[in-house]
Amino acid sequence: MSYRSLFNLPADCHYFNNAYMGPQLKASTEVGIALLREKERPYTISPIDFFTGVEQLKSTYAQLIELDEADRIALAPSASYGFANIAQNIDFESEDEILLTAEQFPSNVYCWQKQARKTGATITFVAKPNSGQTWTSAILDRINDRTKVVSMGQVHWADGSWFDLKAIRTRCDEVGAYLLIDGTQSVGALPFSIKAIQPDALVVSSYKWLLGTYGLCLTYMGPKFDQGQAIEESWLNRHNSEDFTGLVNYEDRYKPMANRYIMGQSSSFIYVGVLQSALEQLLQWGTEKIQSHGKQLKDQIKSGLAGTEFSWDEVNPTGNHLWALKLPEKLDVAAFKSDLSANNIYLSIRGKYARIACHLYNDDQDVDKLLEVLSKYK
Ligand SMILES: Cc1ncc(COP(=O)(O)O)c(C=O)c1O
């Protein structure tokens, strides 16, 4: 069976846009429909069901990110919610610096702007150098004794630039800074190991590379947040919440580790079930398979574009699942976009770049059609 047949993408749909919206596996859709139907029979849902799906999801996800303690995972509805919990639990002073990469996704920017306004801390955006220096090395140069937080992606969402998080972790440790990662554009497709990188938090919205529904995000919170304040107080997160007969014996104690940060109504049966099914498939494939397939397609696209004016970053490495083509200087972008659309080619134009996202469902026909259209724009 081909990978593509596991998805519902028509043969003439050339979808290089997983970084915008990941498609859902057909099997996950079936799980979601069955769970939607289950509420027609509410008498089949027992109190323990409010917890078992979430616990299973946490432990499956823990395997994907090489984490021993599944209780360090909190469910959130979005990356912005995850980062709100993180940002409000860091004490800033006016001389502190918050380091972000230039043009990173706003869910990992606005929370820091709010903290900066409140405390007088300064935000520094580190731009991608055009001098031949790598972006990682520019970030390492910019971390200093005033740096309190480095919050960034494993890859940049707009052009796929990959960052050496191990080196950045080492430098953060030298100055006592937090390292907070938005893994929305990498986790699920690129290996990520909590054990190896040791970030203080990792936020991953599930609807792209985790192949989940829109509306669920998984947040790893490290030990520095164990005693923090959550942005809401869900009854599900307190000790003994499984005992529905005793819920008004109000309980001060939280469940351990990151459980205090879990969003209200986290049992969210349909979203949790769909994501569980997707994560099981991702674990079975393994991220290496997604990377090696992506590399094959990337090499085919690059060699097919030899002699055209499309180019790509030769300085910064990228993942094979997400990278970008620099558009020719004189390209008529409006005409280019309508040509893509007429040929059912889906990719995102971000500034001067066309972002190419590849997954296991992409095949030779997708690449041939992409090259056929791109080759017209020499
Ligand atoms: C890097 C990154 N983080 C997060 C998100 C989504 O954020 P949220 O879950 O807050 O809508 C996106 C969406 O494109 C993204 O590219």
Side-chain angles (χ1 to χ4, degrees), residues 103-118:
E103 299 180 359
Q104 70 184 30
F105 196 78
S107 294
N108 187 14
V109 176
Y110 292 137
C111 58
W112 303 115
Q113 290 178 333
K114 188 171 171 185
Q115 283 293 52
R117 272 196 302 273
K118 221 160 59 181

Side-chain angles (χ1 to χ4, degrees), residues 19 77-81 105 107 157 182 184-185 205 207-208 214:
S78 62
S80 55
Y81 183 107
F105 196 78
S107 294
W157 73 295
D182 181 350
T184 302
Q185 291 291 5
S205 256
Y207 67 94
K208 298 175 192 283
Y214 195 75

Side-chain angles (χ1 to χ4, degrees), residues 15 33 36 43 60 91 157 184 299 332 340 365 375:
Y15 196 70
I33 290 171
L36 183 61
Y43 45 86
T60 307
D91 290 327
W157 73 295
T184 302
D299 290 347
D332 177 343
L340 291 174
Q365 278 102 301
S375 304

Side-chain angles (χ1 to χ4, degrees), residues 28 31 36 45 48 77 82 96 100 103 105 118 134 154 193 257 297-298 331 355 367 378:
S28 304
V31 170
L36 183 61
I45 302 170
I48 199 62
D96 290 336
L100 310 176
E103 299 180 359
F105 196 78
K118 221 160 59 181
T134 65
Q154 184 183 18
S193 167
M257 299 181 185
L297 301 185
K298 187 187 200 180
L331 184 77
R355 187 175 66 177
V367 171
K378 289 187 194 292

Side-chain angles (χ1 to χ4, degrees), residues 79-290:
S80 55
Y81 183 107
F83 275 112
N85 262 326
I86 292 162
Q88 78 160 19
N89 280 294
I90 297 177
D91 290 327
F92 288 101
E93 301 191 1
S94 56
E95 61 272 19
D96 290 336
E97 257 184 23
I98 300 165
L99 220 77
L100 310 176
T101 54
E103 299 180 359
Q104 70 184 30
F105 196 78
S107 294
N108 187 14
V109 176
Y110 292 137
C111 58
W112 303 115
Q113 290 178 333
K114 188 171 171 185
Q115 283 293 52
R117 272 196 302 273
K118 221 160 59 181
T119 63
T122 312
I123 294 183
T124 302
F125 288 99
V126 183
K128 181 173 174 171
N130 47 24
S131 57
Q133 185 189 22
T134 65
W135 208 341
T136 294
S137 141
I139 293 164
L140 292 172
D141 284 354
R142 199 59 194 75
I143 297 174
N144 63 75
D145 290 341
R146 288 179 52 201
T147 310
K148 177 92 181 197
V149 158
V150 177
S151 192
M152 57 185 292
Q154 184 183 18
V155 301
H156 197 278
W157 73 295
D159 70 358
S161 295
W162 173 85
F163 300 107
D164 184 347
L165 294 181
K166 277 196 205 167
I168 294 171
R169 171 77 275 176
T170 302
R171 183 74 189 113
C172 284
D173 285 344
E174 285 165 7
V175 300
Y178 286 79
L179 177 61
L180 310 167
I181 304 301
D182 181 350
T184 302
Q185 291 291 5
S186 55
V187 174
L190 194 61
F192 191 100
S193 167
I194 294 285
K195 282 185 193 158
I197 295 169
Q198 299 187 18
D200 294 297
L202 169 71
V203 176
V204 182
S205 256
S206 74
Y207 67 94
K208 298 175 192 283
W209 301 98
L210 295 184
L211 306 178
T213 57
Y214 195 75
L216 196 53
C217 170
L218 299 176
T219 305
Y220 159 81
M221 307 280 278
K224 288 182 188 157
F225 297 99
D226 280 357
Q227 303 307 320
Q229 296 282 324
I231 56 179
E232 64 173 313
E233 298 295 338
S234 170
W235 60 273
L236 289 157
N237 301 343
R238 302 291 173 118
H239 264 281
N240 297 329
S241 53
E242 294 81 0
D243 177 9
F244 282 23
T245 60
L247 291 180
V248 295
N249 298 328
Y250 303 121
E251 171 60 75
D252 287 336
R253 290 169 301 167
Y254 291 99
K255 291 180 181 168
M257 299 181 185
N259 281 299
R260 67 183 58 205
Y261 299 105
I262 296 185
M263 67 183 189
Q265 292 205 5
S266 54
S267 322
S268 191
F269 304 97
I270 300 163
Y271 291 1
V272 167
V274 168
L275 186 53
Q276 175 67 33
S277 135
L279 292 187
E280 284 170 11
Q281 179 63 86
L282 287 173
L283 277 173
Q284 195 195 318
W285 285 334
T287 45
E288 286 78 11
K289 193 189 287 273
I290 298 168

